[in-house]
Amino acid sequence: MNLDALRLSAFRRFCDPAAIENFAPGVNVLAGPNEVGKSTFFHALEAAFVFRFKTTGMVLDAMRPFAGGEPLVEADFTQDGTRWRIRKQFGRGASAILTDLTAGRVFARNGEAEDRLAELVGRKSDLAGPLGLVWISQQRTLLRPDPDIDPESGKAKPRGEHSALADAIVREVEAAAGGDRLTRIRALTAQRLDVLLTPARSGPRKHGPLEIARRQRDETSVALDAAQRAASAAAERMQAISRLTSEVSKLSAPAHVTALKKNLAGLEAELLAEVRRRTKFDVARETLKACLSAVESAQLAAEAEAGRTQRIAVLESRRDAAAALESEIAALSEHVDAESVTPAALQRLASLQHEMDLASVEIASNAARVDVGLQDGGLGRVSIDGDEVTSDISRDVSEHLTIAVDGIATIRVTAPGADRAAVARRRHDEASKRQCELFDSLRVASLEEARIRAETSARNVDALHRARAKLSGLAPGGASALAAELRDLFRMNDAKRDAAAAPADDELKSRQAAAHVARAACDELKDIVRSEPDFRKLSLAVDDARVADSAAAQTLARLTMDVEKLKSEQAGADEDGRAGQVASLTQELERHVREVTRHEAEGKALLLLDATLKSIEQRSRDAFTEPVTRRLQPYLNEVFGDAALTFKDGFAVDGLKRADVCEDFSRLSDGTREQLSVLVRVAFAGLLASRGEAVPLILDDPLVYSDDARLGNVCRVLEQAARAVQVIVLTCRPSAFEKLSGHRVAITTWQPDK
């Protein structure tokens, strides 16, 4: 890549637009006094090629001039024979436009333009990458050349430079990838060893996984001993809980509950079916009676008349009885439908009462006893919770009690189980609140009243069933049917009296046939209807099933209360629940023992691996830095004669070796350090160019401390490097760089396109 032009507006010290339009291949020199804007143009290059157009915060503030404005940067460059222009507007109206000048068209905008620009200059992310290797800002030449080290803070900060060098070297050194893996493995090994062992590797690291595993193993062993003792002490109590729980499980088992419900439902269904059969039998029997009555009336006119009269009397009696039963049924149905206390509601009330009773027991069990005795002169001076004590008093304290002795002290008494009592009291109050709400919704004043109403409702339901069964036997069609039959009889009597004649033979035969059919139907039903004793026995069985279902629920509630009481006693004896932790603590101890063994084995293996890696690391490091050293050596010979540079990990310069003596970089003179810094960057630029990813080598006020001889040697090196890469030198010392041949550039005015 070659830079062709750079333009800026409202950027740092330039409020008005300015530009450098005449960059050329090879060496370019911008010379001028201090504050002419050389460093501003350097930062404008970074803004154009490194910073994204949506940059905000301190970076954007550093771009803006003191007079204000929104920074604008535009750069023309050539890449692989194609001329490009990147234009970035920062701040308000931020945008990025990448233009293909060769084709004369806008190639991409905004985010897409940023991504395409990064590809063109060899950046793989928002980091500087290869540009950071060869763009050297003012005074940075005094720092140790160290990729991915922040030049301002001196601390490790990913800048993409190390990876850019590694990518270039991979093309030349087949072992580079292996060396990179070696470095990562060595780092991971050291990182894991630092987690497990002390820096001296003499023991487990404090708060490390090995030390934690050993501590957890010992703590778990102690806890297991305590749990085993607690489990042994609680064995007898747990046996009782187990026995009662087994009984509760049997009573509450779905199969048992289902069997009770199924038995009750079956008996009730059988009773209902029998009532229906008996009703049909009664209907058939009544039909038969009617048919026989009709036959008799046809046979004996006089007797028929008497029979009709008698029948009318019977029907009237049954009609009245049926009407009374219907009224009774309506009243009972109204009572049953209006009753809000259902079995489910009653069960909920009982459950809440049980919860309140348990809470009360727990409050009482955690209470302390306080006795206050008054002495002579104490009357009127002692109060408890604000109430004056007028005589000796004893009081149970479940939570807190305040005793005030006037003029002497205020004594606050806290029961040992105050926290548990407070929790129990909240449960009691919450259950009481819900019970009161349920009382209000059911319109009852107490649980006993609810039970009485529920029992009354049950009796009403039974009375309703009996009344309906009786009505079914007495009048299957109801009182209206009997009334209709009576009207028919009255009309028949009137007709008979009007006709005053006996029935015809064909009518008699017809009535006899109807009587025969009615008798057959009655006999058929009579064979399947239970006898009266069997019917009573079935009714009693239904009542017994209902009682058994209710008794099972009561027994279950009582046993559940007993189990909860035993559990409360167990919890009081072992509040930490240690007795139930034996199995889990045993497993946990075994797991911690395995964890300690694993960490100890891992530590031994990592120590062996670290020793092995150390033995091969030096060989790998020499092969990895060889491509940089090979390109750098001619430049060192040109400037320093017989000399060589040594490198640390990650291409960081370690020192300068001359006459078999290696001098640390930090101990070298300022001039020597800046010369080495420039030469290393020249080598980096050559390495990138050999890969086909050349970027301009830009130096902002370099070689400030160099003597004339060394400066001349470095200038010759820059001229040699300019054969492969574009070199741009920004300097405030024109005379110092007179020996540097190349193209001189100047700052001109610029009129940005709208």
Side-chain angles (χ1 to χ4, degrees), residues 162-163 166-167 170 173-188 620-621 624 650-651:
H162 184 278
S163 60
D167 289 344
V170 165
V173 182
E174 292 182 355
D180 186 49
R181 287 196 298 271
L182 176 68
T183 301
R184 290 197 302 271
I185 294 172
R186 179 77 190 280
L188 291 173
S620 175
R621 181 186 302 156
F624 201 58
F651 306 106

Side-chain angles (χ1 to χ4, degrees), residues 13-14 30-43 138 700-701 729-733 747:
R13 73 173 306 280
F14 286 96
L30 173 62
N34 291 327
E35 298 186 358
V36 75
K38 301 182 298 300
S39 295
T40 297
F41 272 92
F42 180 87
H43 292 299
Q138 204 173 58
D700 184 12
D701 263 342
V729 177
L730 311 175
T731 179
C732 62
R733 299 185 299 151
I747 300 174

